[in-house]
Short mmCIF file of all heavy atoms in Angstrom, two decimals:
data_model
loop_
_atom_site.label_atom_id
_atom_site.label_comp_id
_atom_site.label_asym_id
_atom_site.label_seq_id
_atom_site.Cartn_x
_atom_site.Cartn_y
_atom_site.Cartn_z
N MET Y 5 158.68 101.04 172.92
CA MET Y 5 157.76 101.99 173.52
C MET Y 5 156.49 102.10 172.69
O MET Y 5 155.40 102.13 173.24
CB MET Y 5 158.48 103.34 173.64
CG MET Y 5 157.67 104.40 174.30
SD MET Y 5 157.50 103.98 176.03
CE MET Y 5 156.63 105.36 176.60
N LYS Y 6 156.66 102.17 171.37
CA LYS Y 6 155.48 102.27 170.50
C LYS Y 6 154.64 101.00 170.58
O LYS Y 6 153.41 101.07 170.59
CB LYS Y 6 155.90 102.51 169.05
CG LYS Y 6 156.45 103.88 168.79
CD LYS Y 6 156.78 104.04 167.31
CE LYS Y 6 157.39 105.40 167.04
NZ LYS Y 6 157.75 105.56 165.63
N ASN Y 7 155.30 99.87 170.68
CA ASN Y 7 154.56 98.60 170.76
C ASN Y 7 153.76 98.53 172.05
O ASN Y 7 152.63 98.04 172.07
CB ASN Y 7 155.52 97.41 170.66
CG ASN Y 7 156.08 97.27 169.25
OD1 ASN Y 7 155.49 97.76 168.31
ND2 ASN Y 7 157.21 96.59 169.13
N ALA Y 8 154.33 98.99 173.15
CA ALA Y 8 153.64 98.95 174.43
C ALA Y 8 152.41 99.85 174.41
O ALA Y 8 151.34 99.49 174.92
CB ALA Y 8 154.59 99.36 175.55
N LEU Y 9 152.54 101.04 173.82
CA LEU Y 9 151.39 101.95 173.72
C LEU Y 9 150.31 101.37 172.80
O LEU Y 9 149.11 101.49 173.08
CB LEU Y 9 151.84 103.32 173.21
CG LEU Y 9 152.66 104.15 174.19
CD1 LEU Y 9 153.15 105.42 173.49
CD2 LEU Y 9 151.86 104.49 175.41
N TYR Y 10 150.75 100.73 171.72
CA TYR Y 10 149.80 100.12 170.79
C TYR Y 10 149.04 98.98 171.47
O TYR Y 10 147.82 98.86 171.33
CB TYR Y 10 150.55 99.63 169.55
CG TYR Y 10 149.66 99.05 168.48
CD1 TYR Y 10 148.79 99.86 167.77
CD2 TYR Y 10 149.68 97.68 168.20
CE1 TYR Y 10 147.97 99.34 166.79
CE2 TYR Y 10 148.86 97.15 167.24
CZ TYR Y 10 148.00 97.98 166.53
OH TYR Y 10 147.19 97.47 165.57
N ILE Y 11 149.75 98.15 172.23
CA ILE Y 11 149.12 97.04 172.94
C ILE Y 11 148.16 97.59 174.00
O ILE Y 11 147.05 97.07 174.19
CB ILE Y 11 150.18 96.11 173.55
CG1 ILE Y 11 150.92 95.38 172.42
CG2 ILE Y 11 149.55 95.12 174.52
CD1 ILE Y 11 152.12 94.60 172.87
N ALA Y 12 148.56 98.65 174.70
CA ALA Y 12 147.69 99.25 175.71
C ALA Y 12 146.43 99.82 175.07
O ALA Y 12 145.33 99.71 175.62
CB ALA Y 12 148.44 100.33 176.47
N LEU Y 13 146.57 100.43 173.90
CA LEU Y 13 145.42 100.99 173.19
C LEU Y 13 144.46 99.88 172.78
O LEU Y 13 143.24 100.00 172.95
CB LEU Y 13 145.89 101.78 171.96
CG LEU Y 13 144.80 102.35 171.07
CD1 LEU Y 13 144.01 103.41 171.84
CD2 LEU Y 13 145.40 102.93 169.82
N ILE Y 14 144.99 98.80 172.24
CA ILE Y 14 144.15 97.69 171.82
C ILE Y 14 143.47 97.05 173.03
O ILE Y 14 142.28 96.72 173.00
CB ILE Y 14 144.97 96.65 171.04
CG1 ILE Y 14 145.38 97.25 169.68
CG2 ILE Y 14 144.20 95.36 170.84
CD1 ILE Y 14 146.30 96.38 168.87
N ALA Y 15 144.18 96.90 174.13
CA ALA Y 15 143.60 96.30 175.34
C ALA Y 15 142.49 97.18 175.88
O ALA Y 15 141.43 96.68 176.28
CB ALA Y 15 144.69 96.08 176.39
N THR Y 16 142.71 98.49 175.90
CA THR Y 16 141.68 99.41 176.39
C THR Y 16 140.44 99.37 175.51
O THR Y 16 139.32 99.32 176.00
CB THR Y 16 142.24 100.85 176.46
OG1 THR Y 16 143.41 100.85 177.27
CG2 THR Y 16 141.22 101.81 177.04
N ALA Y 17 140.64 99.38 174.20
CA ALA Y 17 139.51 99.33 173.27
C ALA Y 17 138.74 98.03 173.41
O ALA Y 17 137.51 98.01 173.35
CB ALA Y 17 140.01 99.52 171.85
N THR Y 18 139.46 96.94 173.62
CA THR Y 18 138.80 95.65 173.77
C THR Y 18 137.99 95.59 175.06
O THR Y 18 136.85 95.13 175.06
CB THR Y 18 139.86 94.52 173.77
OG1 THR Y 18 140.62 94.61 172.57
CG2 THR Y 18 139.21 93.16 173.87
N VAL Y 19 138.56 96.08 176.14
CA VAL Y 19 137.85 96.06 177.42
C VAL Y 19 136.61 96.93 177.35
O VAL Y 19 135.54 96.55 177.82
CB VAL Y 19 138.79 96.52 178.56
CG1 VAL Y 19 138.00 96.81 179.83
CG2 VAL Y 19 139.86 95.48 178.82
N LEU Y 20 136.72 98.11 176.74
CA LEU Y 20 135.57 99.00 176.64
C LEU Y 20 134.48 98.41 175.75
O LEU Y 20 133.30 98.52 176.04
CB LEU Y 20 135.99 100.37 176.13
CG LEU Y 20 136.81 101.22 177.10
CD1 LEU Y 20 137.23 102.52 176.43
CD2 LEU Y 20 136.01 101.51 178.36
N SER Y 21 134.88 97.79 174.64
CA SER Y 21 133.87 97.27 173.73
C SER Y 21 133.18 96.04 174.31
O SER Y 21 132.02 95.79 174.04
CB SER Y 21 134.49 96.93 172.38
OG SER Y 21 135.41 95.86 172.52
N VAL Y 22 133.88 95.28 175.13
CA VAL Y 22 133.28 94.09 175.73
C VAL Y 22 132.41 94.48 176.92
O VAL Y 22 131.35 93.91 177.14
CB VAL Y 22 134.37 93.09 176.15
CG1 VAL Y 22 133.79 91.96 176.99
CG2 VAL Y 22 135.07 92.53 174.92
N SER Y 23 132.83 95.48 177.69
CA SER Y 23 132.11 95.83 178.91
C SER Y 23 130.87 96.68 178.65
O SER Y 23 129.97 96.73 179.47
CB SER Y 23 133.03 96.54 179.89
OG SER Y 23 133.44 97.79 179.34
N VAL Y 24 130.81 97.37 177.53
CA VAL Y 24 129.66 98.22 177.21
C VAL Y 24 128.57 97.36 176.60
O VAL Y 24 128.80 96.66 175.62
CB VAL Y 24 130.06 99.35 176.24
CG1 VAL Y 24 128.84 100.14 175.83
CG2 VAL Y 24 131.09 100.25 176.88
N GLN Y 25 127.40 97.40 177.21
CA GLN Y 25 126.28 96.62 176.69
C GLN Y 25 125.17 97.56 176.27
O GLN Y 25 124.96 98.60 176.88
CB GLN Y 25 125.77 95.66 177.76
CG GLN Y 25 126.81 94.64 178.15
CD GLN Y 25 126.30 93.71 179.24
OE1 GLN Y 25 125.16 93.82 179.66
NE2 GLN Y 25 127.14 92.80 179.67
N ALA Y 26 124.46 97.15 175.26
CA ALA Y 26 123.37 97.98 174.75
C ALA Y 26 122.19 97.94 175.72
O ALA Y 26 121.88 96.91 176.31
CB ALA Y 26 122.93 97.49 173.38
N ILE Y 27 121.52 99.06 175.87
CA ILE Y 27 120.33 99.15 176.69
C ILE Y 27 119.12 98.91 175.77
O ILE Y 27 118.99 99.60 174.76
CB ILE Y 27 120.23 100.53 177.37
CG1 ILE Y 27 121.44 100.75 178.28
CG2 ILE Y 27 118.93 100.66 178.15
CD1 ILE Y 27 121.54 102.16 178.82
N PRO Y 28 118.29 97.96 176.10
CA PRO Y 28 117.14 97.70 175.22
C PRO Y 28 116.18 98.89 175.21
O PRO Y 28 116.03 99.58 176.22
CB PRO Y 28 116.49 96.47 175.82
CG PRO Y 28 116.95 96.45 177.23
CD PRO Y 28 118.30 97.10 177.26
N PRO Y 29 115.55 99.16 174.08
CA PRO Y 29 114.61 100.29 174.03
C PRO Y 29 113.36 100.01 174.84
O PRO Y 29 113.00 98.86 175.10
CB PRO Y 29 114.28 100.40 172.54
CG PRO Y 29 114.50 99.02 172.02
CD PRO Y 29 115.64 98.44 172.83
N ASN Y 30 112.71 101.08 175.24
CA ASN Y 30 111.44 100.93 175.97
C ASN Y 30 110.37 100.42 175.03
O ASN Y 30 110.31 100.84 173.87
CB ASN Y 30 111.01 102.28 176.55
CG ASN Y 30 111.93 102.74 177.64
OD1 ASN Y 30 112.58 101.94 178.30
ND2 ASN Y 30 111.98 104.05 177.85
N PRO Y 31 109.53 99.54 175.50
CA PRO Y 31 108.45 99.07 174.63
C PRO Y 31 107.48 100.22 174.34
O PRO Y 31 107.33 101.12 175.16
CB PRO Y 31 107.78 97.97 175.43
CG PRO Y 31 108.15 98.25 176.84
CD PRO Y 31 109.48 98.93 176.81
N PRO Y 32 106.84 100.20 173.20
CA PRO Y 32 105.91 101.29 172.88
C PRO Y 32 104.73 101.30 173.84
O PRO Y 32 104.25 100.25 174.26
CB PRO Y 32 105.46 100.97 171.45
CG PRO Y 32 105.74 99.54 171.27
CD PRO Y 32 106.91 99.20 172.15
N THR Y 33 104.32 102.49 174.19
CA THR Y 33 103.18 102.62 175.09
C THR Y 33 101.90 102.74 174.26
O THR Y 33 101.91 103.31 173.16
CB THR Y 33 103.33 103.86 175.98
OG1 THR Y 33 103.48 105.00 175.15
CG2 THR Y 33 104.53 103.74 176.89
N PRO Y 34 100.81 102.20 174.76
CA PRO Y 34 99.56 102.29 173.99
C PRO Y 34 99.06 103.73 173.93
O PRO Y 34 99.24 104.51 174.86
CB PRO Y 34 98.59 101.40 174.77
CG PRO Y 34 99.16 101.35 176.15
CD PRO Y 34 100.65 101.48 176.00
N ALA Y 35 98.44 104.04 172.82
CA ALA Y 35 97.88 105.38 172.65
C ALA Y 35 96.64 105.53 173.51
O ALA Y 35 95.93 104.57 173.80
CB ALA Y 35 97.53 105.62 171.18
N LYS Y 36 96.38 106.75 173.92
CA LYS Y 36 95.18 107.01 174.72
C LYS Y 36 93.95 106.87 173.83
O LYS Y 36 94.02 106.94 172.61
CB LYS Y 36 95.24 108.41 175.31
CG LYS Y 36 96.34 108.57 176.34
CD LYS Y 36 96.32 109.95 176.93
CE LYS Y 36 97.40 110.10 177.96
NZ LYS Y 36 97.44 111.44 178.54
N ASP Y 37 92.82 106.71 174.47
CA ASP Y 37 91.58 106.52 173.73
C ASP Y 37 91.21 107.75 172.91
O ASP Y 37 90.90 107.65 171.74
CB ASP Y 37 90.43 106.18 174.67
CG ASP Y 37 90.65 104.83 175.34
OD1 ASP Y 37 91.38 104.00 174.77
OD2 ASP Y 37 90.09 104.62 176.42
N ALA Y 38 91.26 108.90 173.52
CA ALA Y 38 90.86 110.12 172.83
C ALA Y 38 92.10 110.99 172.58
O ALA Y 38 92.90 111.20 173.49
CB ALA Y 38 89.85 110.89 173.66
N PRO Y 39 92.25 111.49 171.38
CA PRO Y 39 93.40 112.36 171.12
C PRO Y 39 93.22 113.71 171.82
O PRO Y 39 92.10 114.17 172.05
CB PRO Y 39 93.39 112.54 169.60
CG PRO Y 39 91.99 112.27 169.20
CD PRO Y 39 91.45 111.27 170.18
N ALA Y 40 94.33 114.31 172.17
CA ALA Y 40 94.28 115.60 172.85
C ALA Y 40 93.94 116.70 171.84
O ALA Y 40 94.41 116.70 170.71
CB ALA Y 40 95.63 115.90 173.49
N VAL Y 41 93.10 117.62 172.26
CA VAL Y 41 92.72 118.76 171.43
C VAL Y 41 93.59 119.94 171.86
O VAL Y 41 93.60 120.31 173.03
CB VAL Y 41 91.23 119.09 171.60
CG1 VAL Y 41 90.86 120.31 170.79
CG2 VAL Y 41 90.38 117.90 171.20
N ILE Y 42 94.34 120.49 170.92
CA ILE Y 42 95.23 121.61 171.21
C ILE Y 42 94.62 122.89 170.64
O ILE Y 42 94.24 122.93 169.47
CB ILE Y 42 96.63 121.36 170.63
CG1 ILE Y 42 97.22 120.13 171.28
CG2 ILE Y 42 97.51 122.58 170.84
CD1 ILE Y 42 98.54 119.70 170.70
N ILE Y 43 94.54 123.91 171.48
CA ILE Y 43 93.97 125.19 171.07
C ILE Y 43 95.05 126.26 171.21
O ILE Y 43 95.73 126.33 172.24
CB ILE Y 43 92.76 125.54 171.96
CG1 ILE Y 43 91.66 124.49 171.79
CG2 ILE Y 43 92.24 126.93 171.63
CD1 ILE Y 43 90.50 124.65 172.72
N CYS Y 44 95.20 127.06 170.18
CA CYS Y 44 96.13 128.19 170.21
C CYS Y 44 95.32 129.47 170.09
O CYS Y 44 94.50 129.61 169.18
CB CYS Y 44 97.14 128.10 169.08
SG CYS Y 44 98.27 126.71 169.25
N LYS Y 45 95.54 130.39 171.03
CA LYS Y 45 94.78 131.64 171.07
C LYS Y 45 95.72 132.80 171.35
O LYS Y 45 96.81 132.63 171.90
CB LYS Y 45 93.75 131.62 172.19
CG LYS Y 45 92.50 130.85 171.93
CD LYS Y 45 91.58 131.03 173.11
CE LYS Y 45 90.14 130.97 172.70
NZ LYS Y 45 89.25 131.21 173.82
N ASP Y 46 95.25 133.98 171.01
CA ASP Y 46 95.94 135.19 171.40
C ASP Y 46 95.83 135.32 172.92
O ASP Y 46 94.78 135.04 173.50
CB ASP Y 46 95.31 136.40 170.70
CG ASP Y 46 96.02 137.69 171.01
OD1 ASP Y 46 97.25 137.67 171.21
OD2 ASP Y 46 95.36 138.73 171.05
N ALA Y 47 96.91 135.72 173.57
CA ALA Y 47 96.91 135.80 175.03
C ALA Y 47 95.87 136.79 175.54
O ALA Y 47 95.30 136.60 176.61
CB ALA Y 47 98.30 136.19 175.53
N ASN Y 48 95.59 137.84 174.78
CA ASN Y 48 94.59 138.82 175.20
C ASN Y 48 93.16 138.32 175.01
O ASN Y 48 92.23 138.89 175.56
CB ASN Y 48 94.77 140.12 174.42
CG ASN Y 48 96.10 140.78 174.73
OD1 ASN Y 48 96.63 140.62 175.82
ND2 ASN Y 48 96.64 141.49 173.76
N ALA Y 49 92.99 137.25 174.23
CA ALA Y 49 91.65 136.73 173.96
C ALA Y 49 91.24 135.64 174.94
O ALA Y 49 90.13 135.11 174.84
CB ALA Y 49 91.58 136.19 172.53
N LEU Y 50 92.12 135.27 175.88
CA LEU Y 50 91.76 134.24 176.85
C LEU Y 50 90.69 134.75 177.81
O LEU Y 50 90.74 135.89 178.26
CB LEU Y 50 93.00 133.81 177.66
CG LEU Y 50 94.07 133.04 176.92
CD1 LEU Y 50 95.28 132.84 177.82
CD2 LEU Y 50 93.54 131.70 176.45
N THR Y 51 89.74 133.87 178.10
CA THR Y 51 88.71 134.24 179.08
C THR Y 51 89.26 134.01 180.49
O THR Y 51 90.27 133.34 180.67
CB THR Y 51 87.45 133.38 178.88
OG1 THR Y 51 87.79 132.01 179.12
CG2 THR Y 51 86.89 133.54 177.48
N SER Y 52 88.58 134.56 181.46
CA SER Y 52 89.04 134.40 182.84
C SER Y 52 88.95 132.94 183.28
O SER Y 52 89.77 132.47 184.07
CB SER Y 52 88.22 135.29 183.77
OG SER Y 52 86.86 134.94 183.70
N ILE Y 53 87.99 132.20 182.75
CA ILE Y 53 87.86 130.78 183.09
C ILE Y 53 89.05 130.00 182.55
O ILE Y 53 89.62 129.15 183.24
CB ILE Y 53 86.53 130.21 182.53
CG1 ILE Y 53 85.35 130.91 183.20
CG2 ILE Y 53 86.46 128.71 182.72
CD1 ILE Y 53 84.01 130.60 182.58
N GLU Y 54 89.46 130.28 181.30
CA GLU Y 54 90.61 129.61 180.71
C GLU Y 54 91.90 129.94 181.46
O GLU Y 54 92.74 129.06 181.69
CB GLU Y 54 90.75 129.99 179.24
CG GLU Y 54 89.67 129.44 178.35
CD GLU Y 54 89.71 129.99 176.94
OE1 GLU Y 54 90.23 131.11 176.75
OE2 GLU Y 54 89.23 129.29 176.03
N ILE Y 55 92.03 131.17 181.89
CA ILE Y 55 93.22 131.57 182.66
C ILE Y 55 93.25 130.84 183.99
O ILE Y 55 94.31 130.35 184.41
CB ILE Y 55 93.25 133.10 182.85
CG1 ILE Y 55 93.46 133.79 181.50
CG2 ILE Y 55 94.35 133.49 183.82
CD1 ILE Y 55 93.31 135.29 181.54
N GLU Y 56 92.12 130.72 184.66
CA GLU Y 56 92.05 130.00 185.93
C GLU Y 56 92.37 128.52 185.75
O GLU Y 56 93.06 127.92 186.57
CB GLU Y 56 90.67 130.17 186.56
CG GLU Y 56 90.39 131.55 187.10
CD GLU Y 56 88.97 131.72 187.61
OE1 GLU Y 56 88.24 130.70 187.70
OE2 GLU Y 56 88.60 132.86 187.91
N GLU Y 57 91.87 127.91 184.66
CA GLU Y 57 92.16 126.51 184.39
C GLU Y 57 93.65 126.29 184.14
O GLU Y 57 94.23 125.31 184.60
CB GLU Y 57 91.36 126.02 183.19
CG GLU Y 57 89.88 125.84 183.46
CD GLU Y 57 89.12 125.44 182.21
OE1 GLU Y 57 89.73 125.33 181.12
OE2 GLU Y 57 87.90 125.24 182.33
N LEU Y 58 94.27 127.21 183.39
CA LEU Y 58 95.71 127.08 183.11
C LEU Y 58 96.54 127.29 184.38
O LEU Y 58 97.57 126.65 184.56
CB LEU Y 58 96.14 128.06 182.02
CG LEU Y 58 95.63 127.75 180.62
CD1 LEU Y 58 96.02 128.85 179.65
CD2 LEU Y 58 96.18 126.42 180.14
N ASN Y 59 96.11 128.20 185.24
CA ASN Y 59 96.83 128.41 186.50
C ASN Y 59 96.67 127.22 187.43
O ASN Y 59 97.60 126.88 188.16
CB ASN Y 59 96.34 129.68 187.20
CG ASN Y 59 96.87 130.93 186.53
OD1 ASN Y 59 97.92 130.91 185.89
ND2 ASN Y 59 96.14 132.02 186.67
N ALA Y 60 95.51 126.58 187.41
CA ALA Y 60 95.26 125.43 188.29
C ALA Y 60 96.00 124.19 187.81
O ALA Y 60 96.55 123.43 188.60
CB ALA Y 60 93.77 125.16 188.38
N ASP Y 61 96.04 123.97 186.50
CA ASP Y 61 96.68 122.78 185.94
C ASP Y 61 97.68 123.21 184.88
O ASP Y 61 97.33 123.40 183.71
CB ASP Y 61 95.63 121.84 185.34
CG ASP Y 61 96.21 120.51 184.91
OD1 ASP Y 61 97.37 120.24 185.27
OD2 ASP Y 61 95.51 119.76 184.22
N THR Y 62 98.94 123.37 185.27
CA THR Y 62 99.96 123.87 184.34
C THR Y 62 100.38 122.80 183.33
O THR Y 62 101.07 123.13 182.36
CB THR Y 62 101.20 124.35 185.10
OG1 THR Y 62 101.69 123.30 185.92
CG2 THR Y 62 100.87 125.57 185.95
N ASP Y 63 99.97 121.54 183.51
CA ASP Y 63 100.29 120.51 182.53
C ASP Y 63 99.53 120.73 181.22
O ASP Y 63 99.92 120.20 180.19
CB ASP Y 63 99.96 119.12 183.08
CG ASP Y 63 100.90 118.73 184.20
OD1 ASP Y 63 102.02 119.28 184.24
OD2 ASP Y 63 100.51 117.87 185.02
N LYS Y 64 98.45 121.48 181.27
CA LYS Y 64 97.69 121.78 180.05
C LYS Y 64 98.43 122.75 179.14
O LYS Y 64 98.23 122.75 177.94
CB LYS Y 64 96.32 122.38 180.40
CG LYS Y 64 95.36 121.40 180.99
CD LYS Y 64 94.02 122.08 181.20
CE LYS Y 64 92.97 121.13 181.70
NZ LYS Y 64 91.67 121.79 181.83
N LEU Y 65 99.26 123.60 179.71
CA LEU Y 65 99.97 124.62 178.94
C LEU Y 65 101.05 123.96 178.09
O LEU Y 65 101.90 123.23 178.59
CB LEU Y 65 100.60 125.65 179.87
CG LEU Y 65 101.27 126.84 179.22
CD1 LEU Y 65 100.25 127.66 178.45
CD2 LEU Y 65 101.95 127.68 180.26
N ILE Y 66 101.02 124.20 176.78
CA ILE Y 66 101.99 123.62 175.87
C ILE Y 66 103.07 124.63 175.52
O ILE Y 66 104.26 124.35 175.64
CB ILE Y 66 101.31 123.08 174.60
CG1 ILE Y 66 100.38 121.94 174.98
CG2 ILE Y 66 102.32 122.63 173.58
CD1 ILE Y 66 99.55 121.43 173.87
N SER Y 67 102.66 125.81 175.06
CA SER Y 67 103.66 126.82 174.69
C SER Y 67 103.08 128.22 174.82
O SER Y 67 101.87 128.42 174.80
CB SER Y 67 104.14 126.59 173.25
OG SER Y 67 103.09 126.88 172.34
N PHE Y 68 103.99 129.17 174.95
CA PHE Y 68 103.62 130.58 174.99
C PHE Y 68 104.66 131.34 174.17
O PHE Y 68 105.84 131.30 174.47
CB PHE Y 68 103.58 131.12 176.42
CG PHE Y 68 103.33 132.60 176.47
CD1 PHE Y 68 102.10 133.11 176.11
CD2 PHE Y 68 104.33 133.48 176.84
CE1 PHE Y 68 101.86 134.48 176.15
CE2 PHE Y 68 104.11 134.84 176.88
CZ PHE Y 68 102.87 135.34 176.53
N ASP Y 69 104.22 132.00 173.12
CA ASP Y 69 105.10 132.80 172.28
C ASP Y 69 104.94 134.25 172.68
O ASP Y 69 103.90 134.87 172.42
CB ASP Y 69 104.75 132.60 170.80
CG ASP Y 69 105.75 133.25 169.86
OD1 ASP Y 69 106.67 133.92 170.36
OD2 ASP Y 69 105.60 133.08 168.65
N SER Y 70 105.96 134.79 173.35
CA SER Y 70 105.84 136.15 173.86
C SER Y 70 105.90 137.18 172.73
O SER Y 70 105.37 138.28 172.88
CB SER Y 70 106.95 136.43 174.88
OG SER Y 70 108.21 136.29 174.28
N GLU Y 71 106.52 136.82 171.63
CA GLU Y 71 106.61 137.77 170.50
C GLU Y 71 105.25 137.93 169.82
O GLU Y 71 104.81 139.03 169.51
CB GLU Y 71 107.65 137.28 169.51
CG GLU Y 71 108.04 138.30 168.47
CD GLU Y 71 109.21 137.80 167.65
OE1 GLU Y 71 110.26 137.52 168.23
OE2 GLU Y 71 109.05 137.70 166.42
N LEU Y 72 104.57 136.81 169.58
CA LEU Y 72 103.26 136.84 168.93
C LEU Y 72 102.11 136.91 169.94
O LEU Y 72 100.96 137.07 169.54
CB LEU Y 72 103.07 135.60 168.05
CG LEU Y 72 104.04 135.46 166.88
CD1 LEU Y 72 103.81 134.13 166.17
CD2 LEU Y 72 103.87 136.60 165.90
N ARG Y 73 102.43 136.76 171.22
CA ARG Y 73 101.43 136.74 172.30
C ARG Y 73 100.40 135.64 172.05
O ARG Y 73 99.20 135.84 172.17
CB ARG Y 73 100.74 138.09 172.45
CG ARG Y 73 101.62 139.27 172.61
CD ARG Y 73 101.87 139.71 174.00
NE ARG Y 73 100.68 139.73 174.82
CZ ARG Y 73 100.71 139.46 176.13
NH1 ARG Y 73 101.83 139.19 176.70
NH2 ARG Y 73 99.62 139.48 176.84
N GLU Y 74 100.91 134.44 171.71
CA GLU Y 74 100.04 133.30 171.42
C GLU Y 74 100.25 132.23 172.48
O GLU Y 74 101.37 131.87 172.79
CB GLU Y 74 100.33 132.76 170.04
CG GLU Y 74 99.43 131.62 169.63
CD GLU Y 74 99.75 131.10 168.25
OE1 GLU Y 74 100.89 130.69 168.02
OE2 GLU Y 74 98.86 131.14 167.40
N VAL Y 75 99.15 131.69 172.99
CA VAL Y 75 99.18 130.63 174.00
C VAL Y 75 98.57 129.39 173.38
O VAL Y 75 97.49 129.44 172.81
CB VAL Y 75 98.37 131.05 175.25
CG1 VAL Y 75 98.35 129.92 176.26
CG2 VAL Y 75 98.91 132.31 175.85
N CYS Y 76 99.28 128.26 173.51
CA CYS Y 76 98.74 126.96 173.07
C CYS Y 76 98.58 126.08 174.30
O CYS Y 76 99.48 125.97 175.12
CB CYS Y 76 99.68 126.31 172.06
SG CYS Y 76 99.78 127.21 170.50
N PHE Y 77 97.39 125.46 174.40
CA PHE Y 77 97.12 124.61 175.56
C PHE Y 77 96.20 123.47 175.14
O PHE Y 77 95.56 123.50 174.08
CB PHE Y 77 96.48 125.41 176.70
CG PHE Y 77 95.22 126.15 176.32
CD1 PHE Y 77 93.99 125.58 176.52
CD2 PHE Y 77 95.28 127.43 175.76
CE1 PHE Y 77 92.82 126.25 176.18
CE2 PHE Y 77 94.13 128.11 175.41
CZ PHE Y 77 92.90 127.52 175.61
N LYS Y 78 96.18 122.41 175.99
CA LYS Y 78 95.31 121.27 175.76
C LYS Y 78 93.93 121.57 176.30
O LYS Y 78 93.79 122.14 177.37
CB LYS Y 78 95.84 120.03 176.47
CG LYS Y 78 97.15 119.52 175.97
CD LYS Y 78 97.54 118.31 176.77
CE LYS Y 78 99.03 118.11 176.78
NZ LYS Y 78 99.44 117.04 177.67
N LYS Y 79 92.94 121.19 175.59
CA LYS Y 79 91.56 121.38 176.03
C LYS Y 79 91.11 120.20 176.83
O LYS Y 79 91.44 119.11 176.62
CB LYS Y 79 90.64 121.61 174.83
CG LYS Y 79 89.27 122.07 175.20
CD LYS Y 79 89.33 123.42 175.83
CE LYS Y 79 87.91 123.86 176.14
NZ LYS Y 79 87.86 125.08 176.85
#
């Protein structure tokens, strides 16, 4: 009984190790021409124009800390 379980364990490990293949990593992507400018401001100090821009394009918003009331966004 022990031999049969041992053989089954070895067979399972062999099948899994042979059938699993590594996934090649993604090639590196080229950097953009201009680096992104990140601005962090107090939420109360945002102008109405900045608020409208953030509402229109939410991809610019990076983080919002509700405890410190700080907003970080891409310019």
Side-chain angles (χ1 to χ4, degrees):
M5 183 69 177
K6 289 182 182 179
N7 289 339
L9 289 175
Y10 183 68
I11 291 171
L13 177 65
I14 291 175
T16 304
T18 303
V19 168
L20 289 176
S21 66
V22 170
S23 65
V24 175
Q25 297 179 2
I27 299 171
N30 292 335
T33 57
K36 293 182 179 179
D37 294 336
V41 177
I42 298 174
I43 298 174
C44 293
K45 282 184 149 183
D46 183 32
N48 296 331
L50 291 174
T51 63
S52 60
I53 296 171
E54 291 172 334
I55 294 172
E56 288 175 9
E57 288 176 358
L58 290 175
N59 285 334
D61 188 11
T62 56
D63 291 336
K64 288 184 177 183
L65 185 63
I66 296 174
S67 69
F68 175 69
D69 188 356
S70 61
E71 192 172 302
L72 297 175
R73 306 265 316 148
E74 183 180 58
V75 178
C76 293
F77 56 94
K78 294 180 205 173
K79 191 65 178 175

